[in-house]
Amino acid sequence: MKLTDRRKKAFLSELRLHGILVRAARAASPRASGRYGAVQTFKDERDRDPEFAAQWQEAVEAAEASIEHELYRRAQEGWEEPIFGGRHKEKIVGTVRKYSDRLLELRARAMLPAYRETTTVAARQWRRLRSFAGDAFNSSSYPMTSIS
């Protein structure tokens, strides 16, 4: 199937929504066969056409920004969750604002150096592993065994 401007536009539009390559390729090539649809066709075009490659990169960046915004919204703005009441819990009687602590933690790790894991944690884990394995680790095979 020929890669037309219309298919390229459909691919880029879909890629911009969610950043999922296979879904974007299938949306632009609904009759494509195989597990990955026409993914390779679009990758080949990206390699051949610098303008298409730039548009592809812009679409991926837009998808990343959209995901980042959703992470922010769920972590810091929260969402309204209904509270059901009545005899059979059939009515919405109110709402409660919920937040995602886990997403807030992930954003903090990504944006704030103080919340990132450091190499001292890795060194502690290495010492713990070495203490369990005993003589299986020796300093000639593993240069990090000099960590104390």
Side-chain angles (χ1 to χ4, degrees), residues 79-84 91-96 98:
W79 67 95
E80 293 293 320
E81 195 165 281
I83 299 171
F84 292 92
K91 296 178 186 175
I92 296 175
V93 295
T95 60
V96 61
K98 298 271 187 145

Side-chain angles (χ1 to χ4, degrees), residues 1 3 6-12 14 23-31 38 42:
M1 183 184 299
L3 189 55
R6 182 177 179 192
R7 282 184 59 209
K8 285 185 199 178
K9 192 173 189 177
F11 170 81
L12 292 169
E14 189 73 16
R23 277 184 60 184
R26 286 196 177 164
S29 310
R31 293 188 301 254
F42 290 101

Side-chain angles (χ1 to χ4, degrees), residues 13-141:
S13 176
E14 189 73 16
L15 189 62
R16 187 172 285 109
L17 288 176
H18 46 67
I20 303 171
L21 183 58
V22 174
R23 277 184 60 184
R26 286 196 177 164
S29 310
R31 293 188 301 254
S33 61
R35 183 174 181 184
Y36 297 105
V39 170
Q40 193 59 47
T41 304
F42 290 101
K43 285 182 175 181
D44 291 343
E45 183 65 17
R46 178 185 61 188
D47 294 341
R48 272 192 300 270
D49 182 357
E51 184 180 333
F52 183 66
Q55 291 172 339
W56 180 314
Q57 186 59 37
E58 288 174 17
V60 168
E61 288 171 4
E64 289 171 352
S66 176
I67 292 167
E68 182 70 24
H69 179 265
E70 185 62 15
L71 289 172
Y72 164 80
R73 188 189 69 76
R74 291 182 189 200
Q76 293 180 263
E77 293 177 3
W79 67 95
E80 293 293 320
E81 195 165 281
I83 299 171
F84 292 92
R87 184 174 178 184
H88 301 289
K89 305 274 186 196
E90 75 281 3
K91 296 178 186 175
I92 296 175
V93 295
T95 60
V96 61
R97 181 160 294 280
K98 298 271 187 145
Y99 300 89
S100 174
D101 292 340
R102 178 68 178 137
L103 291 178
L104 184 58
E105 176 188 348
L106 290 173
R107 282 186 52 79
R109 283 186 180 182
M111 300 180 79
L112 305 171
Y115 289 93
R116 293 184 191 139
E117 291 186 22
T118 64
T119 55
T120 55
V121 173
R124 272 189 237 127
Q125 290 172 342
W126 178 258
R127 281 194 302 273
R128 193 175 309 131
L129 176 65
R130 197 174 67 193
S131 69
F132 288 128
D135 293 333
F137 294 100
N138 63 44
S139 60
S140 62
S141 299

